[in-house]
Structure formats: C-alpha cells, structure tokens
Amino acid sequence: MSKKWGQHFLIEPNYVDQMLHVAQVDEDDCILEIGPGQGILTEALLQKKSQVTAVEIDPKLYQQLSKKLSQQKKFTPVNQDVLQYTPQELISFYPEPYKIVANLPYNIATPLFFKLLELREHLLSITVMVQKEVAERICATVDSRKAYGVLSIAAEVGFERKLAFSIPPSAFAPPPKVDSAVVHLLPKAKVMPAEKEAVFLRWIQGLFNQRRKTLLNNLQRCTPLAFQTHKSYLEKRYAKQRAETLTLSEFMELFALIGDVK
Ligand code: SAM
C-alpha cells in the first residue's frame, strides 16, 4: 500500500453504486478511470457494459488488474502517471467525448482538475471522489465564505457543479484521515478563447494570493497600470471589498474593464 500514491481502496459497494448512478453510466459509454487500484469501480463500470480505459501509476496494481480483467474486451489498462499526459493526449483516449469516473488520489485532484478544465469540450461529464474539503471548494459560491476561491471560480467558469454525496473514512481500506465526497461536473461551453480564459484564471489567482488584503490592494499589486488608469472608478466601485466577495460575473465585468492593461 503506497502512501505517496494515495492508495485508499473503496470497500463499500453501495458507494460504487451511488457513483455510477450519479454518473448515469450506460451501456457503451466511453469512460476514462484514473487510479483503478484493485478495480472495485472498474468492475462495476464493466458490468454496465461500458468501455473503460483505466490509467494506473502503480506498476504492481496495473499488472494485478490487467491479469484479473484480461477476459474483458472492453477494458484497456494503462500503466502511467495521469499528470504526465498533455490535454491533447488525454483527449485522444477516445474519438468522441467521454465520461470521467474515478476515485481520485487526493494529492492529484487539483492539478488534474485544471487539466480537465482545459479539455472540457471533449468531456461529457466528470464524476470523481475527492477529499470532502476539495469537493466543497470546487462547488463553493460567493456565499460559502472560506471555501470560495480560485478553485471554485475556475470550476464555475467550466462546469455546472454538484456535490453529490459524502463518504466516511470507514468506507475505505486503509481509512483516510478525512471525509471524502463525490462531485459531478457537467462541462459548459467556453465564453472566451482558451488563451484568454487562462489569463483570466491567472489574474484571479493573483487577486486571491493575498486573501487578507482588499481587492484594491491586490489589483494595485497585480495590475498596477490598469489600477492607475481606472483608479477613481475602482475606488468608488470596490471600496473595502475583498476578492472573495465578488461573484464570477463581477470578476468578468472587472476583467473586461481592465482588459489587457497590466
Ligand atoms: N479506484 C480505486 C478504489 O476506488 O478503490 C483506488 C482509488 S485510490 C484512492 C487512488 C488510486 O490512484 C491508487 O490505485 C493509486 O495507485 C492511483 N494513482 C495515484 N496517483 C496516480 C497518478 N498520478 N496517475 C494514475 N494513478 C494514480
């Protein structure tokens, strides 16, 4: 059992059933599973007669699972670190848009999320089990206070979001120290070109870097020229506000104003 690869295996089949229900897995669906481990989810997906490509980093688990499921024609195991794939490579797993269903190792959830955000036009849905705290951040709105931040805004840019259900540590072997939850994400169309969206999200990241400072302080630090250009308007409109009090549409409005002025 490897700690560094976040190996906590699900042992309660009813949570697997709930996940498949949330993901609405159907016959002939194309699924990418990340971290199949001992295969509890993989087998359930194959029972639904879906096509499953499963990327596992651990060579031992990969070998064991390949052997166990060698008779399954709809199963393609891959021994690889999923984070090593470029978005283009991830897209090419299937010729058409596909679903992601996975119980993710906790340490890769956030970097993987940002990759999936980029390729969301090629996905039908994402249904993943993650640390509950991360699930809450992904699904947070401006009213959620502490949980609301860059991850929430990036998730809202890219997806309709739902925190489907929680899972206690006792559902895993060995049990993790924290609760888990399943999030279900449905991709939204891009409202700006990919490069501009990346700039927008980096800009948001900058505004949240110093959470305790006001939005105006952060704007002055991140985009000094834009701040100077629009100083009097910004001071009137955003007096005393912090980044965490702005909704996505308010961030977009502000981004449109300051545009490319750095
Ligand atoms: N799906 C199984 C289950 O539900 O019981 C295992 C889930 S376990 C939380 C995470 C799995 O992801 C482990 O099998 C681990 O080896 C694998 N893993 C960890 N990091 C990975 C990575 N970067 N790429 C692919 N698989 C990874």
Side-chain angles (χ1 to χ4, degrees):
M1 212 78 70
S2 160
K3 241 187 173 177
K4 77 172 171 194
W5 287 330
Q7 293 177 346
H8 298 281
F9 302 110
L10 254 179
I11 49 170
E12 293 271 356
N14 62 316
Y15 290 113
V16 174
D17 293 344
Q18 280 191 57
M19 254 188 112
L20 297 201
H21 178 71
V22 171
Q24 296 179 352
V25 175
D26 258 335
E27 193 168 336
D28 291 329
D29 269 356
C30 293
I31 312 264
L32 175 65
E33 186 188 357
I34 294 145
Q38 297 169 335
I40 188 169
L41 191 54
T42 325
E43 288 188 272
L45 290 166
L46 289 166
Q47 259 168 27
K48 290 270 181 194
K49 298 198 169 57
S50 45
Q51 192 83 38
V52 182
T53 298
V55 178
E56 172 58 59
I57 197 169
D58 183 334
K60 263 198 196 142
L61 286 175
Y62 159 79
Q63 265 168 23
Q64 283 164 11
L65 196 63
S66 303
K67 203 164 158 201
K68 187 172 168 193
L69 301 179
S70 61
Q71 300 302 313
Q72 297 276 358
K73 290 200 176 68
K74 291 184 159 186
F75 177 55
T76 311
V78 186
N79 184 203
Q80 180 61 272
D81 174 352
V82 73
L83 294 180
Q84 295 301 317
Y85 289 118
T86 62
Q88 271 318 316
E89 287 169 332
L90 286 169
I91 289 168
S92 63
F93 275 122
Y94 292 104
E96 69 250 46
Y98 61 85
K99 293 181 178 176
I100 293 191
V101 183
N103 170 13
L104 290 179
Y106 297 153
N107 56 336
I108 72 164
T110 304
L112 182 67
F113 169 82
F114 281 97
K115 249 182 204 180
L116 300 182
L117 180 69
E118 271 184 60
L119 60 93
R120 65 183 184 272
E121 284 165 328
H122 301 271
L123 299 176
L124 294 175
S125 63
I126 302 176
T127 309
V128 285
M129 197 175 284
V130 293
Q131 198 174 329
K132 190 172 181 188
E133 192 205 312
V134 174
E136 285 169 347
R137 281 167 48 210
I138 289 174
C139 297
T141 63
V142 78
D143 303 320
S144 319
R145 305 176 130 247
K146 259 175 84 179
Y148 184 64
V150 180
L151 193 55
S152 332
I153 294 162
E156 192 182 350
V157 165
F159 303 99
E160 299 295 342
R161 309 160 289 163
K162 187 168 121 194
L163 198 159
F165 60 93
S166 305
I167 309 108
S170 58
F172 303 88
K177 290 205 175 75
V178 292
D179 282 343
S180 305
V182 167
V183 287
H184 181 60
L185 305 173
L186 294 174
K188 287 186 195 166
K190 292 192 172 152
V191 294
M192 46 182 126
E195 308 77 54
K196 195 160 183 186
E197 186 176 289
V199 173
F200 175 66
L201 291 175
R202 270 202 302 278
W203 173 74
I204 301 261
Q205 173 104 53
L207 298 183
F208 272 92
N209 262 351
Q210 297 190 7
R211 262 184 107 106
R212 282 150 166 254
K213 296 211 163 157
T214 63
L215 177 67
L216 293 176
N217 283 146
N218 279 319
L219 276 173
Q220 191 167 14
R221 184 175 49 81
C222 297
T223 44
L225 190 57
F227 180 78
Q228 281 310 323
T229 312
H230 300 286
K231 193 164 185 270
S232 58
Y233 168 77
L234 291 171
E235 283 178 344
K236 233 185 269 156
R237 171 80 169 80
Y238 298 104
K240 295 204 177 128
Q241 287 208 51
R242 290 176 199 282
E244 69 215 49
T245 64
L246 265 66
T247 61
L248 172 60
S249 52
E250 286 170 326
F251 275 120
M252 285 182 154
E253 187 191 316
L254 180 55
F255 186 67
L257 173 76
I258 67 159
D260 293 330
V261 190
K262 298 286 173 229

